[in-house]
Amino acid sequence: MATQFGERIRELRTKQNMLLRQLASLLDVDTSIISKVERGDRQLKKEQIPLLAQILKADVEELQTLWLADQIYEVVKDEKMANEAMQVAEKKLNFKKRKQ
Amino acid sequence: MATQFGERIRELRTKQNMLLRQLASLLDVDTSIISKVERGDRQLKKEQIPLLAQILKADVEELQTLWLADQIYEVVKDEKMANEAMQVAEKKLNFKKRKQ
DNA sequence: TTATATTTGCCAATATTTGTCAAGACAATA
DNA sequence: TATTGTCTTGACAAATATTGGCAAATATAA
């Protein structure tokens, strides 16, 4: 199954008639990496998202959200207790936010 | 901040008057690892949870849930878009479950 | 076909995780 | 105060995972 992030990148890139190698060049990585990212074969590094968003004229936070969702999904995808764990993690997160 | 998993392990262990080194021995790891796990300094390996649950006479799924929640939290804890990403990940998870 | 674009498998470099050891902190008590 | 037992911490090496890049394979278009 493809990643949320990868699908969105491909969508943004193709809509602008940009080639893999053009995007790769602007991001300063090999073409194959972008190909893999778009197909969900590998994850982009978090630090590369802002530049990518700029290149694709996309909302940074949207891409960061999708990227993060993929990371979470990667952790829980095959776990029986995935939903329960998400609940627990969310509670802890909200608890932390209240304290700040 | 301590981990959900670590706190629970310590709770279970001390209630049974078990020493770190006793638990470590049964789990076949160094005492320092259990110490760090209980304090949230490091994560136990997923494969070690069933044996740990058996040793502590605890519910495997409870421990797996807490362990997984810690993994999720580790991924999202410092992220601005944490909550949004959790929503997206949950949707994808539910979508996957329906399809199976 | 030919040219261009994308995908895939593999490798080496790098980063991260893991387990062990040894030293230190701490509390109880002789 | 010295001793003993428990727990904590940091440093280190080994094992494992991730990353980027190359080059060959495959797909797409003219």
Side-chain angles (χ1 to χ4, degrees), chain A residues 1-2 4 46 61 65 68 72-73 76-77 79-81 83 86-88 90 92 96-97, chain B residues 1-2 4 46 61 65 68 72-73 76-77 79-81 83 86 88 90 92 96-97:
Chain A
M1 194 190 195
Q4 311 269 312
K46 185 161 58 175
E61 294 193 344
T65 300
L68 196 52
I72 298 168
Y73 185 76
V76 303
K77 63 179 178 192
E79 298 285 343
K80 183 182 178 188
M81 309 308 289
N83 274 306
M86 296 272 277
Q87 302 296 327
V88 176
E90 248 170 306
K92 187 169 177 183
K96 184 201 174 201
K97 281 207 308 204
Chain B
M1 195 189 193
Q4 311 266 315
K46 185 162 57 175
E61 294 192 344
T65 299
L68 196 52
I72 298 168
Y73 184 76
V76 302
K77 64 180 177 192
E79 298 285 343
K80 183 181 178 189
M81 308 309 289
N83 274 306
M86 296 272 276
V88 175
E90 249 169 306
K92 187 168 177 182
K96 183 199 175 201
K97 281 207 310 205

Side-chain angles (χ1 to χ4, degrees), chain A residues 9-26:
Chain A
I9 297 307
R10 174 148 296 189
E11 188 185 0
L12 288 164
R13 176 178 65 82
T14 54
K15 271 193 184 159
Q16 297 174 49
N17 292 313
M18 191 181 284
L19 298 176
L20 275 180
R21 75 172 152 75
Q22 296 175 316
L23 175 51
S25 167
L26 290 168

Side-chain angles (χ1 to χ4, degrees), chain B residues 63-78:
Chain B
L63 296 190
Q64 284 172 332
T65 299
L66 294 178
W67 181 90
L68 196 52
D70 287 338
Q71 313 305 308
I72 298 168
Y73 184 76
E74 188 60 31
V75 169
V76 302
K77 64 180 177 192
D78 296 322

